[in-house]
Amino acid sequence: MTLPRRSQMKCRAALGSALAVLAFLSAACGSSESEEASVTQDGLTEITIAAPPGGVMPVDFRAGLAEGIFEKHGLKITVQDVATGPDAVAAAAQGGADLAFSDTFAAAGAISNGFDVAMVTPLCGLSSLNYFLVPADSGIKELADLRGKNIGIGAPPLFQTAAASRLDQAGIGIDDVQFTLVKDQTTFGAILKSGQVDAVNVTSSINANRWIAEYGFEVVGPYDLGDDAFGTQVAAAGWWATRDWYDGNEAVASTFTRANAEVAQWFADLPEEERAAYIKDQTTADLVALDKEIPGLLELVVNHPLTPVTGAVDTDALEEWITTGAKFAKVPSVSLDTLLFPSATEE
């Protein structure tokens, strides 16, 4: 199949479920006084960040760390790996980290259940790439044929919202299909091949194209939604902190926001081969080698990594995103005044 080139960046998949935040409700939610970040002997402000590991964490951020871009802005950042977005939010809320990387739905769940956290700066929206895969002999040829079918999706509400909203555009309501939540999305290929589901909704181009090549799966409907993709420019994920931390570190939060924007631009301007090298280093996926087996994959992946969201959060888009999550995945409705710190709305 012919693979298109586009210039957006993609949020790598599998961010944590908002429902998992409930497991941490018995823990303390932070101190009652503002918490100023410490400074090293070299004059760098220290920030500890809780975030999922390399396979989930956006590549450009960790690449920016490795290249010393944050240090140039006076920040010394230590990353504390945790399993999911909710784990990250809990770590920040309990004082185990200064900032947390999480999808917005997970943070909304934490806020609705008593955690006093808000977004310091956005990171990324969704990708314009979205695959519905089916076996070649399934008889499913278009999205309308998915009515009444069992569809495997990622467990976090983010993935259910993305899949259900796309089906909704095709006239298929959430009650017209059965969703099977799959925690480990790397198993989608085997699950679909074995007939446990009728289709899978995949956000990883690497996995989707591997399974197409290995199992002969077919893509139902367009997979590059382009400008029609929902959520590409929304703050679907970002960096979160407690109000105590933010109150003591407003200037640091603004500096971190500017550094993030610089990293996103720097990474987007790198040649394809250099971006592919960072992806291989962090995820072990050798896109140069895979491109020989699946021509066009290198160009597709490196030009559709994440959709960076820098500058002020589009509050209208974010409100629509939360409303859509509530409709399709029971995401709690949270006021934007509660959800965003001033640094997230700075130009």
Side-chain angles (χ1 to χ4, degrees):
M1 68 191 211
T2 301
L3 301 176
R5 178 190 177 106
R6 295 187 62 85
S7 61
Q8 298 178 351
M9 302 189 68
K10 175 185 174 190
C11 231
R12 284 190 180 275
L15 300 175
S17 167
L19 296 179
V21 176
L22 294 173
F24 300 97
L25 291 180
S26 61
C29 293
S31 70
S32 58
E33 298 181 357
S34 52
E35 305 163 359
E36 293 187 12
S38 59
V39 178
T40 69
Q41 291 182 343
D42 297 329
L44 300 177
T45 300
E46 294 184 298
I47 299 177
T48 299
I49 292 176
V56 173
M57 182 73 185
V59 173
D60 59 347
F61 177 80
R62 290 188 188 263
L65 282 180
E67 294 301 323
I69 296 176
F70 288 93
E71 289 189 4
K72 185 182 73 172
H73 285 265
L75 304 176
K76 178 179 175 57
I77 293 177
T78 301
V79 177
Q80 171 187 324
D81 285 342
V82 295
T84 67
D87 292 339
V89 173
Q94 296 168 26
D98 300 310
L99 299 179
F101 170 64
S102 173
D103 74 277
T104 299
F105 288 166
I111 292 168
S112 70
N113 285 290
F115 283 153
D116 189 16
V117 297
M119 180 184 288
V120 172
T121 186
L123 184 64
C124 57
L126 303 185
S127 169
S128 65
L129 301 181
N130 187 290
Y131 302 79
F132 281 99
L133 300 182
V134 298
D137 60 355
S138 68
I140 300 172
K141 301 302 181 185
E142 56 187 36
L143 289 177
D145 297 331
L146 291 173
R147 189 183 304 275
K149 302 301 184 182
N150 186 345
I151 303 172
I153 61 173
L158 182 151
F159 295 114
Q160 181 162 321
T161 300
S165 61
R166 187 173 173 202
L167 292 174
D168 186 67
Q169 291 177 337
I172 302 174
I174 193 169
D175 294 330
D176 296 329
V177 297
Q178 177 184 344
F179 285 131
T180 294
L181 306 185
V182 181
K183 184 176 182 179
D184 183 359
Q185 295 178 65
T186 64
T187 65
F188 274 3
I191 289 173
L192 182 58
K193 178 65 176 178
S194 66
Q196 297 179 55
V197 294
D198 301 307
V200 291
N201 183 240
V202 183
T203 57
S204 166
S205 294
I206 296 176
N207 286 337
N209 284 280
R210 275 175 167 168
W211 296 328
I212 289 169
E214 181 177 356
Y215 298 118
F217 295 153
E218 294 181 346
V219 181
V220 179
Y223 63 88
D224 185 356
L225 308 182
D227 294 335
D228 294 330
F230 175 61
T232 56
Q233 299 303 317
V234 75
W239 302 100
W240 307 80
T242 63
R243 195 162 303 277
D244 289 338
W245 185 90
Y246 186 84
D247 287 345
N249 299 278
E250 288 192 55
V252 176
S254 293
T255 299
F256 181 76
T257 297
R258 292 193 298 272
N260 266 288
E262 181 177 329
V263 166
Q265 187 61 59
W266 162 77
F267 193 80
D269 290 341
L270 289 177
E272 290 179 356
E273 293 76 12
E274 291 188 38
R275 279 179 277 163
Y278 281 114
I279 292 172
K280 180 181 179 181
D281 181 59
Q282 294 185 32
T283 70
T284 73
D286 189 340
L287 291 176
V288 175
L290 287 171
D291 192 68
K292 296 176 182 178
E293 303 174 21
I294 309 171
L297 184 61
L298 169 62
E299 184 179 30
L300 177 69
V301 173
V302 299
N303 289 298
H304 291 77
L306 15 121
T307 306
V309 179
T310 57
V313 168
D314 184 332
T315 53
D316 290 339
L318 182 56
E319 192 151 17
E320 181 184 7
W321 177 239
I322 293 174
T323 299
T324 305
K327 177 181 178 181
F328 292 123
K330 299 181 180 179
V331 174
S333 295
V334 178
S335 165
L336 295 192
D337 291 338
T338 303
L339 196 69
L340 303 174
F341 283 131
S343 57
T345 58
E346 293 177 357
E347 292 289 348

